[in-house]
Amino acid sequence: MQKIEAYLRPSALEKVHDALAEVGIIGMSVGEVRGFGRHRDHRKVYRATEYRVGFIPKTNIEVTVKDGDP
């Protein structure tokens, strides 16, 4: 068995879910996480006020498949 874990944008979850269902993967675990990578602290402007965003919201997907599955 293999465990596949991916972190992606929350907006991409539906596309990934559809693609996994298309190849026959029907079960997965999904969680909301926050983190940062290369961008570290970046700044955003909201209503003319600049603020730092340290952690970006992400979606964590975990899928466990048998060795013979696609």
Side-chain angles (χ1 to χ4, degrees):
M1 296 193 76
Q2 299 288 325
K3 178 181 175 186
I4 302 167
E5 189 170 347
Y7 295 90
L8 48 109
R9 296 183 318 272
S11 61
L13 177 61
E14 194 66 32
K15 289 181 182 179
V16 171
H17 176 264
D18 293 342
L20 288 173
E22 211 171 277
V23 296
I25 306 296
I26 57 171
M28 73 171 131
S29 297
V30 177
E32 295 178 7
V33 295
R34 298 177 63 89
F36 64 87
R38 292 180 293 187
H39 55 272
R40 296 276 175 170
D41 288 346
H42 71 278
R43 302 186 187 291
K44 288 195 172 193
V45 177
Y46 178 71
R47 295 189 178 182
T49 303
E50 186 176 297
Y51 63 97
R52 289 186 340 186
V53 177
F55 293 99
I56 305 296
K58 298 285 183 182
T59 301
N60 177 21
I61 297 176
E62 296 178 6
V63 179
T64 304
V65 296
K66 293 180 184 177
D67 290 331
D69 287 349

